[in-house]
Amino acid sequence: MSILLGCIADDFTGGTDLAGMLVKAGMRTVQMIGIPREPIGDDIDAVVIALKSRTSPVEEAVAESLAALRWLQQAGCRQFYFKYCSTFDSTPRGNIGPVGEALMQALSSNFTIASPAFPVNGRTIYKGHLFVGDILLSDSGMRNHPLTPMTDANLVRFLQTQIKGKVGLVDYATVRQGAEAIKARFETLKAEGCNFAVPDTITNDDLIAIGAACADLPLVTAGSGIALGLPQNFRRAGLLPEHQVADALPPTGGLRAVIAGSCSIATQGQVAAMREKHPAFNIDPFELANGKDVVSEALAWAKGKIEKEPVLFYATATPDAVKTVQARLGTEKAGSLVENALAAIAQGIVALGVGQLIVAGGETSGAVVKALGVSGLRIGPEIDPGVPWTTGITKDATDATLRPLALALKSGNFGTPDFFLKAWNKLAS
Ligand code: ADP
């Protein structure tokens, strides 16, 4: 197995973001949910291990990231990528700096970059200061983030508070001159005892130049933007084909269903659009709370319908209805009752022959993926920005009698109103 790029993401959706970027850049990519326990396929160029370490205690984040690194090293990765948020979500203690330092040490390296920039998404860096759109990070809504309030936009100064080593700047005049100048500046910074370089970045071309300058670094630490530049390094080295369809998934076939546990506005519209065209079963949290066997009822209802057309199971409700449920049952209890029911329905319909499943809602997706024993996702074609089709990797992946399961895990507010109707067209059946 020869994986080129091994990535560690500090949260799940950040991991998906990076995985999608790598696929678009021509790298066949798998996203693993936590540190893998089983081997993964050998037709893969990049692995993203998604942790939940963004806001965990520093020591935990470091230990988990090192464990992920060990797995990626054993898988033969040539370069490593620590992915964090493009708003550099962290505190004066961590976790970006300490995790970056620990990974560097484990890789016997003493130099990396720190680059949350992503100009197309409005994240630019000038004189070391991170801008969100037209304003400094410290003037943006991130100032009031409940867990990681960002009150200093100067990344050189802020990262310095998190680490034992030293941070330096690659200023814009240098970045504009391209990859060779950036590399030369890296050498100067190293000679000055710096371990992290924050490169100024105004345009996507800058990111590509910075990516090229990072070809020989064992570790990069960045948002997902640098993923624009890294794949080209592997091509230049003859390790990655010039043109490669990276988003092909094995044909899955099987029946089609949608499970919606999100109450976000986009999902409400998508549920309404699907209900007009296909059979739909509503999950009532009060019935669940009263102990009614809603799951068996839903599965019995589906028989005879699901063989003919896609069906929808939804708990999606209006904000007022959700408030009433939460007031009577408690927010957490209502949430977990609904999540558990939807996860059990997912298990039931897969047993009925569903091979193509859309799930709406972040928490809901987590519950469904867990119930189905899915430990990773092979990233396929994008349906709408940020939502690709994937195939689930399960412990029994080597069991040829098991049909691969196509999954589209949609964060609540993503997708156009016809998402549930059009998504199937992107899949080979
Ligand atoms: P999103 O991605 O839109 O935030 P999530 O699945 O992450 O969606 O979160 C939605 C939460 O709301 C889940 O915990 C789900 O179980 C819960 N939920 C869904 N429907 C209802 C409902 N009718 N009443 C109360 N809670 C609900």
mmCIF file with all atom_site columns, all heavy atoms in Angstrom, residues 234-249:
data_model
loop_
_atom_site.group_PDB
_atom_site.id
_atom_site.type_symbol
_atom_site.label_atom_id
_atom_site.label_alt_id
_atom_site.label_comp_id
_atom_site.label_asym_id
_atom_site.label_entity_id
_atom_site.label_seq_id
_atom_site.pdbx_PDB_ins_code
_atom_site.Cartn_x
_atom_site.Cartn_y
_atom_site.Cartn_z
_atom_site.occupancy
_atom_site.B_iso_or_equiv
_atom_site.pdbx_formal_charge
_atom_site.auth_seq_id
_atom_site.auth_comp_id
_atom_site.auth_asym_id
_atom_site.auth_atom_id
_atom_site.pdbx_PDB_model_num
ATOM 1   N N   . PHE A 1 234 ? 3.131   15.858 -5.738  1.00 0.00 ? 234 PHE A N   1
ATOM 2   C CA  . PHE A 1 234 ? 3.223   14.414 -5.972  1.00 0.00 ? 234 PHE A CA  1
ATOM 3   C C   . PHE A 1 234 ? 3.261   14.116 -7.474  1.00 0.00 ? 234 PHE A C   1
ATOM 4   O O   . PHE A 1 234 ? 3.915   13.188 -7.917  1.00 0.00 ? 234 PHE A O   1
ATOM 5   C CB  . PHE A 1 234 ? 2.061   13.685 -5.291  1.00 0.00 ? 234 PHE A CB  1
ATOM 6   C CG  . PHE A 1 234 ? 2.084   13.818 -3.789  1.00 0.00 ? 234 PHE A CG  1
ATOM 7   C CD1 . PHE A 1 234 ? 1.056   14.453 -3.109  1.00 0.00 ? 234 PHE A CD1 1
ATOM 8   C CD2 . PHE A 1 234 ? 3.146   13.321 -3.050  1.00 0.00 ? 234 PHE A CD2 1
ATOM 9   C CE1 . PHE A 1 234 ? 1.078   14.582 -1.725  1.00 0.00 ? 234 PHE A CE1 1
ATOM 10  C CE2 . PHE A 1 234 ? 3.189   13.440 -1.663  1.00 0.00 ? 234 PHE A CE2 1
ATOM 11  C CZ  . PHE A 1 234 ? 2.153   14.081 -1.002  1.00 0.00 ? 234 PHE A CZ  1
ATOM 12  N N   . ARG A 1 235 ? 2.518   14.930 -8.247  1.00 0.00 ? 235 ARG A N   1
ATOM 13  C CA  . ARG A 1 235 ? 2.561   14.750 -9.715  1.00 0.00 ? 235 ARG A CA  1
ATOM 14  C C   . ARG A 1 235 ? 3.963   15.036 -10.235 1.00 0.00 ? 235 ARG A C   1
ATOM 15  O O   . ARG A 1 235 ? 4.516   14.279 -11.018 1.00 0.00 ? 235 ARG A O   1
ATOM 16  C CB  . ARG A 1 235 ? 1.566   15.695 -10.389 1.00 0.00 ? 235 ARG A CB  1
ATOM 17  C CG  . ARG A 1 235 ? 0.165   15.220 -10.224 1.00 0.00 ? 235 ARG A CG  1
ATOM 18  C CD  . ARG A 1 235 ? -0.810  15.822 -11.206 1.00 0.00 ? 235 ARG A CD  1
ATOM 19  N NE  . ARG A 1 235 ? -2.124  15.371 -10.764 1.00 0.00 ? 235 ARG A NE  1
ATOM 20  C CZ  . ARG A 1 235 ? -2.908  16.059 -9.947  1.00 0.00 ? 235 ARG A CZ  1
ATOM 21  N NH1 . ARG A 1 235 ? -2.565  17.262 -9.562  1.00 0.00 ? 235 ARG A NH1 1
ATOM 22  N NH2 . ARG A 1 235 ? -4.042  15.550 -9.544  1.00 0.00 ? 235 ARG A NH2 1
ATOM 23  N N   . ARG A 1 236 ? 4.524   16.149 -9.762  1.00 0.00 ? 236 ARG A N   1
ATOM 24  C CA  . ARG A 1 236 ? 5.869   16.515 -10.231 1.00 0.00 ? 236 ARG A CA  1
ATOM 25  C C   . ARG A 1 236 ? 6.873   15.413 -9.912  1.00 0.00 ? 236 ARG A C   1
ATOM 26  O O   . ARG A 1 236 ? 7.818   15.177 -10.652 1.00 0.00 ? 236 ARG A O   1
ATOM 27  C CB  . ARG A 1 236 ? 6.322   17.838 -9.594  1.00 0.00 ? 236 ARG A CB  1
ATOM 28  C CG  . ARG A 1 236 ? 5.907   19.061 -10.399 1.00 0.00 ? 236 ARG A CG  1
ATOM 29  C CD  . ARG A 1 236 ? 6.620   20.306 -9.885  1.00 0.00 ? 236 ARG A CD  1
ATOM 30  N NE  . ARG A 1 236 ? 6.030   20.749 -8.636  1.00 0.00 ? 236 ARG A NE  1
ATOM 31  C CZ  . ARG A 1 236 ? 5.060   21.658 -8.554  1.00 0.00 ? 236 ARG A CZ  1
ATOM 32  N NH1 . ARG A 1 236 ? 4.611   22.245 -9.640  1.00 0.00 ? 236 ARG A NH1 1
ATOM 33  N NH2 . ARG A 1 236 ? 4.554   21.998 -7.391  1.00 0.00 ? 236 ARG A NH2 1
ATOM 34  N N   . ALA A 1 237 ? 6.649   14.737 -8.783  1.00 0.00 ? 237 ALA A N   1
ATOM 35  C CA  . ALA A 1 237 ? 7.569   13.665 -8.380  1.00 0.00 ? 237 ALA A CA  1
ATOM 36  C C   . ALA A 1 237 ? 7.228   12.336 -9.070  1.00 0.00 ? 237 ALA A C   1
ATOM 37  O O   . ALA A 1 237 ? 7.843   11.305 -8.783  1.00 0.00 ? 237 ALA A O   1
ATOM 38  C CB  . ALA A 1 237 ? 7.523   13.491 -6.865  1.00 0.00 ? 237 ALA A CB  1
ATOM 39  N N   . GLY A 1 238 ? 6.219   12.350 -9.951  1.00 0.00 ? 238 GLY A N   1
ATOM 40  C CA  . GLY A 1 238 ? 5.854   11.127 -10.682 1.00 0.00 ? 238 GLY A CA  1
ATOM 41  C C   . GLY A 1 238 ? 5.093   10.118 -9.836  1.00 0.00 ? 238 GLY A C   1
ATOM 42  O O   . GLY A 1 238 ? 5.013   8.936  -10.177 1.00 0.00 ? 238 GLY A O   1
ATOM 43  N N   . LEU A 1 239 ? 4.534   10.565 -8.724  1.00 0.00 ? 239 LEU A N   1
ATOM 44  C CA  . LEU A 1 239 ? 3.861   9.637  -7.810  1.00 0.00 ? 239 LEU A CA  1
ATOM 45  C C   . LEU A 1 239 ? 2.349   9.614  -8.008  1.00 0.00 ? 239 LEU A C   1
ATOM 46  O O   . LEU A 1 239 ? 1.661   8.730  -7.496  1.00 0.00 ? 239 LEU A O   1
ATOM 47  C CB  . LEU A 1 239 ? 4.173   10.022 -6.359  1.00 0.00 ? 239 LEU A CB  1
ATOM 48  C CG  . LEU A 1 239 ? 5.645   9.937  -5.964  1.00 0.00 ? 239 LEU A CG  1
ATOM 49  C CD1 . LEU A 1 239 ? 5.889   10.646 -4.637  1.00 0.00 ? 239 LEU A CD1 1
ATOM 50  C CD2 . LEU A 1 239 ? 6.066   8.478  -5.869  1.00 0.00 ? 239 LEU A CD2 1
ATOM 51  N N   . LEU A 1 240 ? 1.846   10.609 -8.719  1.00 0.00 ? 240 LEU A N   1
ATOM 52  C CA  . LEU A 1 240 ? 0.400   10.726 -8.905  1.00 0.00 ? 240 LEU A CA  1
ATOM 53  C C   . LEU A 1 240 ? 0.152   10.994 -10.385 1.00 0.00 ? 240 LEU A C   1
ATOM 54  O O   . LEU A 1 240 ? 0.791   11.872 -10.963 1.00 0.00 ? 240 LEU A O   1
ATOM 55  C CB  . LEU A 1 240 ? -0.119  11.908 -8.062  1.00 0.00 ? 240 LEU A CB  1
ATOM 56  C CG  . LEU A 1 240 ? -1.621  12.101 -7.918  1.00 0.00 ? 240 LEU A CG  1
ATOM 57  C CD1 . LEU A 1 240 ? -2.255  10.963 -7.113  1.00 0.00 ? 240 LEU A CD1 1
ATOM 58  C CD2 . LEU A 1 240 ? -1.910  13.446 -7.220  1.00 0.00 ? 240 LEU A CD2 1
ATOM 59  N N   . PRO A 1 241 ? -0.788  10.236 -11.004 1.00 0.00 ? 241 PRO A N   1
ATOM 60  C CA  . PRO A 1 241 ? -1.041  10.456 -12.438 1.00 0.00 ? 241 PRO A CA  1
ATOM 61  C C   . PRO A 1 241 ? -1.496  11.888 -12.703 1.00 0.00 ? 241 PRO A C   1
ATOM 62  O O   . PRO A 1 241 ? -2.124  12.516 -11.855 1.00 0.00 ? 241 PRO A O   1
ATOM 63  C CB  . PRO A 1 241 ? -2.178  9.480  -12.755 1.00 0.00 ? 241 PRO A CB  1
ATOM 64  C CG  . PRO A 1 241 ? -2.267  8.549  -11.622 1.00 0.00 ? 241 PRO A CG  1
ATOM 65  C CD  . PRO A 1 241 ? -1.634  9.189  -10.433 1.00 0.00 ? 241 PRO A CD  1
ATOM 66  N N   . GLU A 1 242 ? -1.173  12.377 -13.889 1.00 0.00 ? 242 GLU A N   1
ATOM 67  C CA  . GLU A 1 242 ? -1.512  13.754 -14.263 1.00 0.00 ? 242 GLU A CA  1
ATOM 68  C C   . GLU A 1 242 ? -3.028  13.956 -14.239 1.00 0.00 ? 242 GLU A C   1
ATOM 69  O O   . GLU A 1 242 ? -3.540  14.900 -13.672 1.00 0.00 ? 242 GLU A O   1
ATOM 70  C CB  . GLU A 1 242 ? -0.941  14.039 -15.666 1.00 0.00 ? 242 GLU A CB  1
ATOM 71  C CG  . GLU A 1 242 ? -0.772  15.503 -15.997 1.00 0.00 ? 242 GLU A CG  1
ATOM 72  C CD  . GLU A 1 242 ? 0.113   16.253 -14.992 1.00 0.00 ? 242 GLU A CD  1
ATOM 73  O OE1 . GLU A 1 242 ? 1.204   15.753 -14.630 1.00 0.00 ? 242 GLU A OE1 1
ATOM 74  O OE2 . GLU A 1 242 ? -0.328  17.335 -14.561 1.00 0.00 ? 242 GLU A OE2 1
ATOM 75  N N   . HIS A 1 243 ? -3.742  13.019 -14.866 1.00 0.00 ? 243 HIS A N   1
ATOM 76  C CA  . HIS A 1 243 ? -5.202  13.118 -14.864 1.00 0.00 ? 243 HIS A CA  1
ATOM 77  C C   . HIS A 1 243 ? -5.749  11.840 -14.261 1.00 0.00 ? 243 HIS A C   1
ATOM 78  O O   . HIS A 1 243 ? -5.491  10.767 -14.758 1.00 0.00 ? 243 HIS A O   1
ATOM 79  C CB  . HIS A 1 243 ? -5.734  13.281 -16.286 1.00 0.00 ? 243 HIS A CB  1
ATOM 80  C CG  . HIS A 1 243 ? -5.198  14.500 -16.950 1.00 0.00 ? 243 HIS A CG  1
ATOM 81  N ND1 . HIS A 1 243 ? -5.613  15.769 -16.620 1.00 0.00 ? 243 HIS A ND1 1
ATOM 82  C CD2 . HIS A 1 243 ? -4.240  14.659 -17.896 1.00 0.00 ? 243 HIS A CD2 1
ATOM 83  C CE1 . HIS A 1 243 ? -4.948  16.654 -17.342 1.00 0.00 ? 243 HIS A CE1 1
ATOM 84  N NE2 . HIS A 1 243 ? -4.102  16.004 -18.114 1.00 0.00 ? 243 HIS A NE2 1
ATOM 85  N N   . GLN A 1 244 ? -6.479  11.976 -13.216 1.00 0.00 ? 244 GLN A N   1
ATOM 86  C CA  . GLN A 1 244 ? -7.009  10.781 -12.565 1.00 0.00 ? 244 GLN A CA  1
ATOM 87  C C   . GLN A 1 244 ? -8.420  11.083 -12.082 1.00 0.00 ? 244 GLN A C   1
ATOM 88  O O   . GLN A 1 244 ? -8.659  12.113 -11.449 1.00 0.00 ? 244 GLN A O   1
ATOM 89  C CB  . GLN A 1 244 ? -6.125  10.416 -11.373 1.00 0.00 ? 244 GLN A CB  1
ATOM 90  C CG  . GLN A 1 244 ? -6.696  9.304  -10.517 1.00 0.00 ? 244 GLN A CG  1
ATOM 91  C CD  . GLN A 1 244 ? -5.671  8.763  -9.514  1.00 0.00 ? 244 GLN A CD  1
ATOM 92  O OE1 . GLN A 1 244 ? -5.036  7.759  -9.724  1.00 0.00 ? 244 GLN A OE1 1
ATOM 93  N NE2 . GLN A 1 244 ? -5.539  9.465  -8.399  1.00 0.00 ? 244 GLN A NE2 1
ATOM 94  N N   . VAL A 1 245 ? -9.369  10.184 -12.404 1.00 0.00 ? 245 VAL A N   1
ATOM 95  C CA  . VAL A 1 245 ? -10.712 10.331 -11.849 1.00 0.00 ? 245 VAL A CA  1
ATOM 96  C C   . VAL A 1 245 ? -10.628 9.810  -10.420 1.00 0.00 ? 245 VAL A C   1
ATOM 97  O O   . VAL A 1 245 ? -10.430 8.623  -10.189 1.00 0.00 ? 245 VAL A O   1
ATOM 98  C CB  . VAL A 1 245 ? -11.737 9.518  -12.658 1.00 0.00 ? 245 VAL A CB  1
ATOM 99  C CG1 . VAL A 1 245 ? -13.133 9.679  -12.074 1.00 0.00 ? 245 VAL A CG1 1
ATOM 100 C CG2 . VAL A 1 245 ? -11.710 9.965  -14.112 1.00 0.00 ? 245 VAL A CG2 1
ATOM 101 N N   . ALA A 1 246 ? -10.717 10.735 -9.461  1.00 0.00 ? 246 ALA A N   1
ATOM 102 C CA  . ALA A 1 246 ? -10.505 10.316 -8.075  1.00 0.00 ? 246 ALA A CA  1
ATOM 103 C C   . ALA A 1 246 ? -11.813 10.076 -7.341  1.00 0.00 ? 246 ALA A C   1
ATOM 104 O O   . ALA A 1 246 ? -11.812 9.591  -6.222  1.00 0.00 ? 246 ALA A O   1
ATOM 105 C CB  . ALA A 1 246 ? -9.684  11.388 -7.341  1.00 0.00 ? 246 ALA A CB  1
ATOM 106 N N   . ASP A 1 247 ? -12.939 10.424 -7.995  1.00 0.00 ? 247 ASP A N   1
ATOM 107 C CA  . ASP A 1 247 ? -14.195 10.340 -7.251  1.00 0.00 ? 247 ASP A CA  1
ATOM 108 C C   . ASP A 1 247 ? -15.069 9.158  -7.681  1.00 0.00 ? 247 ASP A C   1
ATOM 109 O O   . ASP A 1 247 ? -16.260 9.134  -7.401  1.00 0.00 ? 247 ASP A O   1
ATOM 110 C CB  . ASP A 1 247 ? -14.981 11.652 -7.365  1.00 0.00 ? 247 ASP A CB  1
ATOM 111 C CG  . ASP A 1 247 ? -15.451 11.946 -8.780  1.00 0.00 ? 247 ASP A CG  1
ATOM 112 O OD1 . ASP A 1 247 ? -15.129 11.152 -9.696  1.00 0.00 ? 247 ASP A OD1 1
ATOM 113 O OD2 . ASP A 1 247 ? -16.155 12.954 -8.966  1.00 0.00 ? 247 ASP A OD2 1
ATOM 114 N N   . ALA A 1 248 ? -14.453 8.182  -8.381  1.00 0.00 ? 248 ALA A N   1
ATOM 115 C CA  . ALA A 1 248 ? -15.252 7.025  -8.799  1.00 0.00 ? 248 ALA A CA  1
ATOM 116 C C   . ALA A 1 248 ? -15.527 6.127  -7.595  1.00 0.00 ? 248 ALA A C   1
ATOM 117 O O   . ALA A 1 248 ? -14.638 5.859  -6.798  1.00 0.00 ? 248 ALA A O   1
ATOM 118 C CB  . ALA A 1 248 ? -14.494 6.243  -9.871  1.00 0.00 ? 248 ALA A CB  1
ATOM 119 N N   . LEU A 1 249 ? -16.772 5.686  -7.461  1.00 0.00 ? 249 LEU A N   1
ATOM 120 C CA  . LEU A 1 249 ? -17.132 4.763  -6.384  1.00 0.00 ? 249 LEU A CA  1
ATOM 121 C C   . LEU A 1 249 ? -17.591 3.454  -7.012  1.00 0.00 ? 249 LEU A C   1
ATOM 122 O O   . LEU A 1 249 ? -18.083 3.454  -8.146  1.00 0.00 ? 249 LEU A O   1
ATOM 123 C CB  . LEU A 1 249 ? -18.284 5.347  -5.552  1.00 0.00 ? 249 LEU A CB  1
ATOM 124 C CG  . LEU A 1 249 ? -17.982 6.614  -4.761  1.00 0.00 ? 249 LEU A CG  1
ATOM 125 C CD1 . LEU A 1 249 ? -19.233 7.078  -4.026  1.00 0.00 ? 249 LEU A CD1 1
ATOM 126 C CD2 . LEU A 1 249 ? -16.846 6.390  -3.768  1.00 0.00 ? 249 LEU A CD2 1
#
